[in-house]
Amino acid sequence: MFDSVSLYRKMLTCRRVEEAIAGLWQEGLISGEMHLGIGEEGINAGVLDHLGDGDAVALDHRGTAGMLLRGVEAAAIIKECMGLEDGLCGGMGGHMHLFSKDHLAASSGIVGSAGPTACGFALAAQHLRPKKVAVAFFGEGAMNQGMLMESLNLAAAWDLPVLFVCRDNGTAITTSSPAVTGGSLEERARGLGVSGKNISGVDVEVVWHEAAVMLDRARSGKGPSFLRTTCLRPQGHFLGDPLIRMVHKPVAEMKPRTGPLVSAAMSSGGASIAQRLAAITKIMAMIGRTARTQLGSAHDPVLQMRKKLKITADDLAGLEEEVELTVKDALEQALQSLPAGGEEATK
Amino acid sequence: MREMTFSQAIEDALTQAMKEDQRVVVFGEDVHALRMNLYTRFGEKRVRPAPISESAFLGTAVGAAMAGLRPFVELILIDFLAVAADAIINQAAKVEAFSGGRWKVPMVVRAGCGGGYGDGGQHEQSLWGWIAHIPGLKVVVPSTPADAGGLLLAAIADESPVFFLEPKLLTDDLLEVLGSGGRTTVTYDIPTGGRSGPVPERWEPLALGRAAVRREGTDITIAGAGIAIHRATEAADLLSGEGISASVIDLRSIAPLDRDAVLKDVESTGRLLVVDDDYRDFGLTGELAAAVLESGLPARFARIAVEGTIPFDPKREQKVLPNVERIYEAARRLMER
Ligand SMILES: Cc1ncc(C[n+]2csc(CCOP(=O)(O)OP(=O)(O)O)c2C)c(N)n1
């Protein structure tokens, strides 16, 4: 049964935890890159709501919400992002390399690697855990990675209980995915023997129902499925994404780039004027595309679910306060774990 | 003489190469953004964004190089080589030998390498020992803007597959995007030298496989490449305060490896300390130890390298990567032996 209140709570928790992580990153308490799943909550929650003990999940570089939804403590995840000794992986992995053996949940920063890992989890399920499944999460960019395409075929050939979930935001870092992708992704999966569907990831209920059917198939030994879900990602590829910065502060961000760009466009030796104009047009299109990723409420899965909830305003306020408090508590736990002089840690 | 940052030198030398030779084509993920200026100037046909298909586009570079182009592949990070290992290890590296020397593969793979900005052990490896292990491949690691441009031209002009590795702590562009992302709340232990410096008015290729003596000393030889050179130079300053005179040899190229330059210096100092941002086992440090043993020189030897997967936690990462303190301590211990 689709439980809208429970799904809303899960999505909101993901959103708030990731916002807290973003804050820590801005403050310099998290080092390196930070890829968040804000805008993808409908997909993550709609699929993972169906998983239970013994089911497995292979995540990519954007796996924070996936771990949370599998039941890993928020504080353990936040601490791991901060590199603390009492984080989920002892501070050894960081946000791109989250592992929870108890939940059979693993992630990797190498694009496409969730495919083979999920196949392996599914193979183990065939042997050791009948009726259990494995889910792979990845972006549409990863669909061009050889190992992922090979995994689709392997899963079909071996009837592996895998659900391949493609989160399609249309862009891989700065590259328009359609511009570097041949054919359609569903047809590609179908061509490899994995039946697929294409849905919007904004409505968690749609995702939930589709995932239910596909996971049932897998559990009953009918093999893998492919679910392509579309989404918008307002933060860009990662926090501090230069394209997002260009959208928000065009003058400041473009200024240092303009001089070299103009000189590149004008210098002798190089392509024809027409080719140079075509290149500049594509650069402008890239920035325009980025501007269109800013979440209006129509594309926000959390707000969309909130609108449809059939509970009283009081209950809703109570639920939201509870989520805020849980996340605040996790954040406080993480901050308390900082070693003395912790603010200097990443300096 | 002009003054340039490390990243500017690379782009400038690449621009010169593309202007002079139509066969030089650039491809890789996000190159329209990473090389926005070149993309604008030379157009999409010569600066081409690729799908996330490393095995396909590195393999394509091999074929294209065999058939007359001079591909310059942007792999972004050397860690991603693992995905496309076959194209390099079994194809690019083998063609010249298999064809009896009749067919060559003039291609360059450029990638960032190394850590120090807290991105975890899957994005911060150096891996040059892995590449150098394979006959038929070359790999260079510049430590100054002038070397970066000169080695880049040499790599493009070379008839073999050459890896051009760029220590991320020396670059402003990669480090900004992968490390700070516009934040002013993070800083790194960036070496004082190497991020910018004088470069020639016009780039000339540097010879591949020729080390540079960065500092002359009489008591101990410190050898390495990339970031290690700057750390070693700082350590050498500290050591000189204690009356220990260290020479610093910048290998610049891991394969071919300038063993002679190292041996020549060790002949006078009698001590060799190798500093390596790559893994310790089966790598550069052991290779130079073997060179000393084979030469018959009566030298003492020590090494500092990465022992195990690089931790995400920036504090532990700092300890695992070679740093000034470790080099200084190891050099002092070696002096006592
Ligand atoms: C093998 C490999 N190549 C390149 C990268 C660099 N990289 C990290 S994320 C990313 C884009 C991934 O796009 P997509 O799969 O669509 O996922 P998204 O980030 O949009 O969620 C790239 C190219 C990588 N981590 N691994």
Side-chain angles (χ1 to χ4, degrees), chain A residues 61-62 109-111 139-142 145 169 171-173 233 237, chain B residues 29 52 54 80 83 123:
Chain A
H61 51 287
R62 218 175 281 288
I110 297 300
V111 169
E140 83 295 336
Q145 185 62 273
N169 69 324
T171 302
I173 310 189
R233 196 179 297 132
H237 177 70
Chain B
E29 290 151 30
I52 311 173
E54 285 85 0
F80 307 152
V83 170
H123 286 66

Side-chain angles (χ1 to χ4, degrees), chain B residues 113-246:
Chain B
C113 67
Y117 62 101
D119 214 13
Q122 228 174 28
H123 286 66
E124 295 199 331
Q125 301 172 94
S126 288
L127 297 182
W128 46 66
W130 190 39
I131 300 164
H133 184 62
I134 307 297
L137 301 179
K138 296 181 179 173
V139 50
V140 300
V141 190
S143 72
T144 66
D147 278 6
L151 289 172
L152 188 113
L153 272 203
I156 292 175
D158 202 88
E159 294 300 324
S160 313
V162 183
F163 278 77
F164 180 93
L165 301 187
E166 191 179 330
K168 273 168 275 170
L169 277 192
L170 296 181
T171 66
D172 32 20
D173 51 359
L174 280 177
L175 193 63
E176 207 285 324
V177 172
L178 299 173
S180 26
R183 291 179 289 177
T184 51
T185 46
V186 282
T187 51
Y188 313 102
D189 181 13
I190 291 174
T192 43
R195 272 173 76 89
S196 67
V199 302
E201 283 303 326
R202 220 196 105 72
W203 293 105
E204 297 294 338
L206 285 170
L208 293 183
R210 198 88 47 81
V213 179
R214 296 291 180 208
R215 183 186 180 113
E216 311 229 16
T218 51
D219 298 328
I220 179 171
T221 304
I222 309 180
I227 298 292
I229 290 311
H230 301 290
R231 306 278 190 232
T233 304
E234 279 183 53
D237 283 340
L238 292 178
L239 290 165
S240 80
E242 315 223 332
I244 299 169
S245 158

Side-chain angles (χ1 to χ4, degrees), chain A residues 25 30 33 109 144 174 268, chain B residues 30 41 53 119 122 183 316:
Chain A
W25 184 88
I30 294 176
E33 301 168 82
N144 290 323
T174 68
S268 67
Chain B
D30 300 294
R41 178 162 181 173
S53 308
D119 214 13
Q122 228 174 28
R183 291 179 289 177
R316 278 173 275 171

